[in-house]
Amino acid sequence: MASTFLPPTKIVPDERQRQAIEHVNGPLLVIAGAGTGKTTVLTQRIAHLVREGHARPDEILALTYSIIPRQR
């Protein structure tokens, strides 16, 4: 089976996303709805922290989760 390579797309964050990406003073909690770019913001923030020397990769813990409602 041939693999398909999709080149990365350039994501331009909005103002609130940019603030989250560039936040460096302590932990950050991002709460937003589905499809709003949380994972992209998280990965860009990690890259920013490492690139700017605010943290080493082994000092970062990133968690994501989804809450799936129970069927009644």
Side-chain angles (χ1 to χ4, degrees), residues 29-47:
L29 176 63
V30 175
I31 301 174
T36 57
K38 294 178 299 297
T39 301
T40 299
V41 165
L42 179 65
T43 57
Q44 288 187 10
R45 179 167 186 245
I46 291 168

Side-chain angles (χ1 to χ4, degrees), residues 8 14 17 22 24 27 29-31 39 41 47 50 55 59 67 69-70:
D14 65 24
Q17 290 171 325
E22 295 177 358
V24 295
L29 176 63
V30 175
I31 301 174
T39 301
V41 165
V50 173
E59 296 176 320
I67 299 174
R70 231 183 336 172

Side-chain angles (χ1 to χ4, degrees), residues 3-42:
S3 65
T4 303
F5 173 75
L6 297 175
T9 57
K10 178 67 174 167
I11 305 295
V12 178
D14 65 24
E15 180 60 24
R16 292 183 77 186
Q17 290 171 325
R18 187 192 59 73
Q19 289 173 354
I21 291 166
E22 295 177 358
H23 175 82
V24 295
N25 296 319
L28 176 70
L29 176 63
V30 175
I31 301 174
T36 57
K38 294 178 299 297
T39 301
T40 299
V41 165
L42 179 65

